[in-house]
Amino acid sequence: MNKAIFRLAVIDDAEEINSVSTHLGYQRLSENQASEKLLSLLNSEADQIFVAELKGKIIGWIHLFYARRLASNDFYEIGGLVVNPEYRGQGIGKNLVKFATSQVTEVVRVRCNETRLESHLFYEQQGFKSTKSQRVFVK
């Protein structure tokens, strides 16, 4: 297998990122929506999008965002991580996490749905420690 390239996303990656996203159950966006969303994140000082590219094709992505807090330390959080199922188990997710977290100096957090046990194990294998459980409320 050729070696994947890990890099910052660019606007031309929008459609391929959109396509990979559907593998984790995210809704497929229109081409315009995908480009607008990615452009907004690329222009944000708080967000970073990294991709894994193999043979010119995006096979995974990770989104980090900077979370400022009033009464506690600021941190980065993983807002999403998706790898095309065809390439899972080959270290792509692990290397995306490693690459993205190496680009920042602050603590990195990640939240996982309590039902996604495979994600919990994955992040523990990457050195993340579970520190608390919480509920999410939406209004």
Side-chain angles (χ1 to χ4, degrees):
M1 176 177 148
N2 287 347
K3 210 165 180 183
I5 297 167
F6 301 91
R7 61 171 174 79
L8 277 168
V10 295
I11 192 60
D12 290 341
D13 297 329
E15 184 52 38
E16 287 189 72
I17 289 172
N18 187 21
S19 181
V20 170
S21 299
T22 63
H23 293 293
L24 202 60
Y26 294 114
Q27 177 185 352
R28 183 161 188 84
L29 304 173
S30 71
E31 194 172 321
N32 278 349
Q33 289 172 316
S35 292
E36 287 172 11
K37 267 192 181 290
L38 181 58
L39 185 59
S40 175
L41 293 171
L42 294 176
N43 287 332
S44 165
E45 291 185 18
D47 295 275
Q48 298 179 44
I49 311 296
F50 302 97
V51 296
E53 179 182 336
L54 184 62
K55 297 180 184 177
K57 178 182 174 185
I58 302 300
I59 60 171
W61 60 261
I62 188 169
H63 171 204
L64 285 186
F65 65 89
Y66 194 65
R68 297 186 189 280
R69 296 295 184 257
L70 181 61
S72 61
N73 292 333
D74 298 344
F75 56 90
Y76 277 91
E77 185 166 326
I78 295 174
L81 169 64
V82 182
V83 175
N84 182 318
E86 190 177 323
Y87 299 95
R88 290 185 189 154
Q90 299 178 28
I92 301 300
K94 173 184 174 179
N95 285 307
L96 269 168
V97 170
K98 185 176 181 179
F99 182 78
T101 58
S102 75
Q103 306 300 306
V104 300
T105 56
E106 289 84 354
V107 168
V108 177
R109 294 183 183 178
V110 63
R111 299 169 201 260
C112 297
N113 187 308
E114 65 183 21
T115 63
R116 301 196 59 208
L117 301 179
E118 72 284 349
S119 294
H120 302 174
L121 180 60
F122 171 81
Y123 285 113
E124 287 170 352
Q125 291 171 341
Q126 308 320 308
F128 289 81
K129 304 286 183 238
S130 178
T131 58
K132 71 177 179 178
S133 295
Q134 66 185 118
R135 293 178 184 236
V136 176
F137 297 87
V138 176
K139 182 176 180 182

